[in-house]
Every structure is written in structure tokens, then in C-alpha cells.
Amino acid sequence: MTAGHGLPERRPAGIVTRGVAAGIDLGVVLGILGGAYLGLLLTRLLLSPQSFSFPDPGPLWSIASWLGMSIVYLTGCWATTGRTVGSLAMGVRVTNRRHQRVRWAVALPRAIACVFFPVGLLWVVLDPNRRSLQDIVLRTEVVYDWRQDLDVVTA
């Protein structure tokens, strides 16, 4: 189905698509954190092999790292391409209401809201336009968009 200007019509993504994308993104963030931990191990081993020990970051540091990395990852992806790895895999993109890429000033609070209030995603099930609470408050939308060309999206 196409819109009047010859581009495919943008349908809002539902809860299953968004949930799968979020699960993939969680795996990406955990992979980044795991890689950072391995890098720390390697650095410590190279700098002092005789007194090497595994660092114990503790639960507070681990949770803070995960929250921070999640916010940085989501903000950067949404503000630059509108897609995370999960949304790329599921064929969706975060845009503003004019179907343009979201600005950094919107991507950051959206990422914070998604990380600290993920249950807001469930509103997609109740909203006739498939918007999460974060989408409603920040005037964003998550739409199906398989195209790779960002210029087409922001035009």
C-alpha cells in the first residue's frame, strides 16, 4: 500500500514488534557491557599480570552501567538514524509526527522514559494509534519502514 506521494504508507508498529525489538536491544546493550568488562579484564591483565584478579563491580555499579549504556545507546540510535539494532531487525523506525528523524532533545528524554518506565510500552495495546505513553508525551511514533535511505525518511 502506498501513500499519495508514491512512498509506502507508514503503519504504526504494534506491541509484538516493539517487544521483540526491545529484547534484541537489551541483548545488544548487555553485549556491549560484556565487551567492556572483558576489555577491563584484558587491560588489568596486561598492566599487572602478577597481581591480576577479577574485578567485582557489585550490583550498584552493574545496574548503573546498564542504565547509562541503555540511555546512551537508545539516544544515539534514535537521534542519528531513528533505528536501533532491534528496530532495524524488525523493520521499524522512530520518527516525529512529521515522519522526520527525532532530534537529540527528544531522543534523550524518550530514552530515559523507556529505560526507567518500560511499562509505558504496554499502552500500545490500548491506544487505537498504537502509541506508547512515551510516544504520546514526546510526540513520536514507531512506524514500519524497511527503507535504508534516511534522506527519503526525512524528506
Side-chain angles (χ1 to χ4, degrees):
M1 200 188 278
T2 61
H5 43 63
L7 297 174
E9 184 178 352
R10 292 178 174 93
R11 292 181 312 127
I15 189 70
V16 173
T17 301
R18 288 177 178 220
V20 171
I24 293 169
D25 291 332
L26 175 62
V28 169
V29 169
L30 291 176
I32 292 169
L33 291 174
Y37 183 75
L38 289 175
L40 174 65
L41 288 178
L42 180 60
T43 302
R44 287 181 66 159
L45 181 62
L46 289 173
L47 294 178
S48 59
Q50 300 297 331
S51 62
F52 174 78
S53 65
F54 285 91
D56 180 19
L60 184 60
W61 179 251
S62 297
I63 292 169
S65 298
W66 174 72
L67 292 172
M69 181 55 65
S70 296
I71 291 169
V72 168
Y73 168 74
L74 293 173
T75 301
C77 289
W78 290 335
T80 56
T81 64
R83 294 179 184 213
T84 60
V85 173
S87 40
L88 180 64
M90 298 307 294
V92 296
R93 185 184 307 266
V94 175
T95 65
N96 64 20
R97 295 293 170 101
R98 293 182 302 250
H99 301 294
Q100 297 170 328
R101 185 177 56 229
V102 296
R103 298 182 187 274
W104 289 93
V106 174
L108 177 60
R110 188 177 198 283
I112 292 169
C114 288
V115 168
F116 285 101
F117 190 64
V119 75
L121 173 65
L122 296 176
W123 193 256
V124 171
V125 176
L126 302 174
D127 188 89
N129 295 318
R130 294 182 177 175
R131 296 175 299 175
S132 68
L133 291 178
Q134 293 88 340
D135 290 329
I136 293 168
V137 170
L138 295 167
R139 298 180 180 267
T140 59
E141 57 187 11
V142 179
V143 294
Y144 289 101
D145 185 359
W146 287 99
R147 290 169 299 195
Q148 299 297 320
D149 187 7
L150 186 61
D151 293 333
V152 173
V153 174
T154 59

